[in-house]
């Protein structure tokens, strides 16, 4: 079990702002922990859940060497063990609301963004690591008709195949963790189970099914479950019974 500080609570859409937030906030939390006598001279890096907006992720892929982000994190005593790949662009503009679900998994832009995040995450870890990226629960519910469903399932399968290829190349298992949220196509664990059983897994060969299950998992958000009146233990048990791994838990409040 690894516990980290989530950075998407801080505004910032460009690489410079992301690094500035690490200096002002995440590194500050780490320094306070290190100064606590109860930590017994703790000097190791602090885990963070990093949010990289789409333009920042693209710049890291095209303008910087693969070691750049790892070096920036290490210089601040931090280590990114998960990404929040849910918000695509500016998560802190004056009005966000349903726009946070655009683009959904029916849009090729979501697939391209997620592929960038998978590549960046693999650069931060060594062979044998298992690390996750939380992602949008398909899209906002009323926006998803049958053609959108078909595109979303195809894109999720492509994303899982890309993550499998990355694991072959790097030895790092990056899994995408679908995060049920009220009002979305997937707003309860049962809907995630139905996604797997009714749409993702049918007609797949055994090897393909294993790849989907390895690289597509669940992100359980305690607040979202509470808003839907789903018990926390019940939610986890429902996923476990369906053979869906929980790649990430967000300890939030409602």
């Amino acid at each position: 079990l690894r516990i980290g500080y989530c950075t998407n609570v801080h505004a910032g859409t460009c690489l410079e702002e992301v690094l500035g937030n690490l200096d002002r906030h995440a590194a500050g939390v780490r320094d306070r922990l290190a100064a606590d006598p109860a930590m017994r001279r703790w000097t190791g890096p602090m885990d963070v859940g990093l949010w990289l907006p789409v333009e920042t992720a693209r710049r890291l892929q095209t303008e910087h060497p693969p070691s750049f982000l790892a070096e920036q994190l290490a210089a601040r005593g931090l280590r990114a063990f998960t990404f929040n790949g849910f918000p695509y662009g500016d998560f802190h503009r004056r009005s966000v609301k349903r726009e946070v679900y655009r683009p959904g998994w029916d849009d090729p832009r979501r697939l391209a963004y997620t592929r960038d995040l998978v590549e960046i995450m693999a650069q931060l870890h060594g062979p044998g690591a298992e690390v996750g990226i939380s992602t949008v629960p398909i899209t906002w519910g009323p926006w998803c008709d049958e053609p959108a469903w078909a595109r979303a399932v195809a894109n999720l399968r492509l994303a899982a195949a890309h993550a499998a290829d990355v694991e072959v190349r790097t030895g790092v298992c990056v899994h995408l963790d679908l995060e049920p949220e009220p009002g979305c196509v997937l707003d309860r664990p049962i809907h995630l189970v139905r996604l797997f059983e009714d749409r993702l897994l049918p007609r797949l060969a055994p090897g393909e099914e294993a790849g989907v299950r390895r690289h597509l998992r669940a992100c359980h958000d305690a607040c979202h479950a509470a808003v839907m009146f789903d018990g926390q233990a019940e939610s986890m048990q429902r996923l476990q019974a369906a053979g869906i791994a929980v790649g990430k838990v967000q300890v939030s409040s409602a």
Side-chain angles (χ1 to χ4, degrees), residues 105-198:
W105 271 105
D106 59 318
D107 190 319
R109 292 177 297 168
R110 173 64 62 176
L111 176 60
Y113 169 50
T114 305
R115 280 174 162 165
D116 279 346
L117 293 180
V118 170
E119 294 285 349
I120 294 167
M121 179 63 90
Q123 294 165 5
L124 298 179
H125 299 275
E130 283 199 20
V131 284
I133 300 171
S134 52
T135 189
V136 64
I138 310 296
T139 188
W140 182 244
W143 297 343
C144 195
D145 55 15
E146 275 304 313
W149 257 122
R151 294 193 300 271
V153 169
N155 285 333
L156 283 168
R157 286 174 172 170
L158 288 171
H162 176 247
D165 176 67
V166 168
E167 185 172 13
V168 170
R169 287 191 278 114
T170 67
V172 179
C173 174
V174 183
H175 44 85
L176 306 177
D177 306 327
L178 291 149
E179 180 186 339
E181 181 163 331
C184 293
V185 174
L186 311 176
D187 65 0
R188 305 179 67 187
I190 186 59
H191 298 142
L192 186 54
V193 171
R194 289 172 183 163
L195 166 66
F196 273 74
E197 295 181 349
D198 298 344

